[in-house]
Amino acid sequence: MRREPDEQRGWFSRLLESIPAILWSADPETLAAMHDFDPQVVILDINLPGISGIEVCARIRATNPDQPVILSTGHMTGIHLDPHTRALLKPYSFDELMETCHLLMEE
């Protein structure tokens, strides 16, 4: 099942209404800005343009090893999960995403 862009935009609108969130791209400026923002949860797609979500997660871990991270992926092969990282296998529901966000924020 492939999610259409309009459906994805709807998800992110619901997410932004549910918890304080900022949508960023995975570039060096964004990674540097995370130090000022200190997000409760970071949601990363594994296949980001230009850099993998796993690499972004590693960079986050270098400066904030306890940062909660959710990796969104179409396959689980080769993904190392530490105690502050969860993976959601696509396709997943909005409710699964929200449940995972809340679980990580409570830990």
Side-chain angles (χ1 to χ4, degrees):
M1 180 169 95
R2 190 175 190 299
R3 301 213 184 276
E4 297 302 319
D6 286 342
E7 183 179 355
Q8 289 173 346
R9 279 191 286 277
W11 272 35
F12 286 114
S13 294
R14 286 177 62 192
L15 179 64
L16 290 169
E17 291 168 4
S18 302
I19 59 175
I22 294 176
L23 300 177
W24 280 332
S25 61
D27 56 39
E29 291 174 7
T30 297
L31 292 171
M34 283 185 58
H35 297 291
D36 296 328
F37 177 59
D38 191 28
Q40 290 179 299
V41 176
V42 174
I43 304 169
L44 297 169
D45 195 299
I46 295 291
N47 294 316
L48 297 170
I51 187 171
S52 80
I54 293 174
E55 175 61 27
V56 173
C57 187
R59 291 181 185 186
I60 291 169
R61 290 280 169 263
T63 59
N64 188 351
D66 298 331
Q67 174 65 58
V69 175
I70 297 172
L71 298 172
S72 175
T73 183
H75 57 85
M76 299 295 280
T77 307
I79 297 176
H80 169 74
L81 300 177
D82 60 52
H84 302 286
T85 305
R86 301 288 183 274
L88 285 176
L89 187 61
K90 295 177 189 176
Y92 50 84
S93 69
F94 177 78
D95 290 338
E96 290 173 291
L97 174 61
M98 290 307 300
E99 180 180 338
T100 304
C101 284
H102 289 291
L103 286 171
L104 280 169
M105 288 188 295
E106 291 171 2
E107 291 182 353

